Amino acid sequence: LAVSGSVSRQLHYREGMTQDASNSRAVPARPLARVEAWEDRSAWALFAASAIFFALSTWLLLEPGMPAWERNLMSFAVVALWLIFVLDYLIRLALARGARGPFFRSRLFDLSSLFLPFLRPFLILVYIWRLPAFRHGSGATQRARYLTTMVLFSLMFVYTASLGVWLAERDAPGATIVNFNDALWWGFTTIATVGYGDFVPITTLGRILAIGLMMGGIAVIGVTSATLISALTEHARKRVAEDEER
């Protein structure tokens, strides 16, 4: 939930441009307009990079027995992509000169995800949210933006929690979650409130992560339901307005 709140605070920050009447020169109406312009230009490339980063990181973690040369190559690619994310952050920080405070507050999750490994999968959400096709759209587009982000957040949330539980449980005596496939199955049955009981965490850390996943499932269902209700309500209002015009 803390991750969800942090992502939400970042994703709601907006900037714009205005015209200086005295010299007909475009100046930022709000201090981060240059940052947003850069994000629009780099969004697609960084989205692709974050997806590759996620795939390679997962592969490295789940395939410890791969040949050394293959592991070294993939590790180099992961580090190179991470440096690209760092460079992107530094460029945006430079573009935010004179407004570093708002920049840090609105993009705190970007900075956190660069140094906290368990947050890195959520980089995909950040870059999807910044895609120009989503950022500059109608009300329907914005709802699709929220729904897409929430679905992907759910998947990343289950992945991260399942990975954490697997790492906590795999070497514990008597554990039932001893491989990532079982952990992922447990994660989806838990967030869906099914809970078959075939796999259960037995360590303290595993159970703490399980509680977080359960609470996150409640939040995800609530937000998704609210988005769908909003879309249905607007559709009904349009139909009523059309009937009244006839």
Side-chain angles (χ1 to χ4, degrees):
L1 291 175
V3 173
S4 176
S6 177
V7 174
S8 177
R9 285 192 297 272
Q10 171 184 313
L11 299 181
H12 280 81
Y13 199 88
R14 305 287 295 170
E15 304 89 19
M17 293 293 291
T18 190
Q19 190 74 18
D20 187 344
S22 61
N23 56 12
S24 299
R25 179 175 55 87
V27 298
R30 281 175 284 183
L32 298 181
R34 292 185 298 271
V35 174
E36 186 184 66
W38 168 264
E39 290 173 347
D40 282 348
R41 290 193 296 269
S42 61
W44 282 105
L46 288 172
F47 166 63
S50 64
I52 295 172
F53 180 90
F54 173 72
L56 292 179
S57 299
T58 300
W59 196 351
L60 281 171
L61 190 61
L62 299 182
E63 295 292 338
M66 69 175 64
W69 68 268
E70 186 176 346
R71 173 169 291 275
N72 292 336
L73 181 62
M74 293 175 63
S75 298
F76 175 80
V78 168
V79 172
L81 289 170
W82 179 77
L83 291 176
I84 289 174
F85 298 142
V86 173
L87 178 61
D88 169 67
Y89 185 86
L90 293 176
I91 290 174
R92 288 183 289 134
L93 181 62
L95 292 173
R97 59 184 180 276
R100 300 288 164 76
F103 177 83
F104 281 119
R105 288 192 297 271
S106 63
R107 287 153 178 83
L108 181 61
F109 184 77
D110 292 53
L111 182 60
S112 301
S113 65
L114 292 175
F115 299 102
L116 298 177
F118 68 91
L119 291 179
R120 290 180 185 175
F122 295 94
L123 278 173
I124 294 178
L125 300 180
V126 174
Y127 295 123
I128 284 180
W129 186 266
R130 290 179 185 158
L131 293 177
F134 277 155
R135 176 177 283 189
H136 311 293
S138 62
T141 301
Q142 293 306 309
R143 275 193 301 274
R145 184 190 199 192
Y146 278 97
L147 192 58
T148 301
T149 303
M150 183 52 61
V151 169
L152 289 174
F153 172 80
S154 301
L155 295 175
M156 296 296 101
F157 188 47
V158 171
Y159 167 85
T160 304
S162 300
L163 181 62
V165 168
W166 172 55
L167 293 175
E169 297 281 317
R170 60 180 177 174
D171 296 323
T176 58
I177 304 175
V178 294
N179 61 67
F180 186 67
N181 290 335
D182 292 341
L184 204 57
W185 168 256
W186 165 85
F188 277 105
T189 58
T190 299
I191 201 171
T193 68
V194 176
Y196 288 112
D198 48 353
F199 299 105
V200 293
I202 62 173
T203 64
T204 301
L205 178 58
R207 289 176 175 176
I208 291 173
L209 292 172
I211 292 172
L213 185 59
M214 295 172 195
M215 296 178 66
I218 295 172
V220 166
I221 292 172
V223 172
T224 304
S225 300
T227 303
L228 292 175
I229 290 172
S230 173
L232 291 173
T233 301
E234 181 172 340
H235 179 70
R237 287 176 179 173
K238 287 182 178 179
R239 292 294 298 272
V240 170
E242 291 173 358
D243 292 341
E244 290 177 350
E245 288 178 359
R246 292 173 185 172

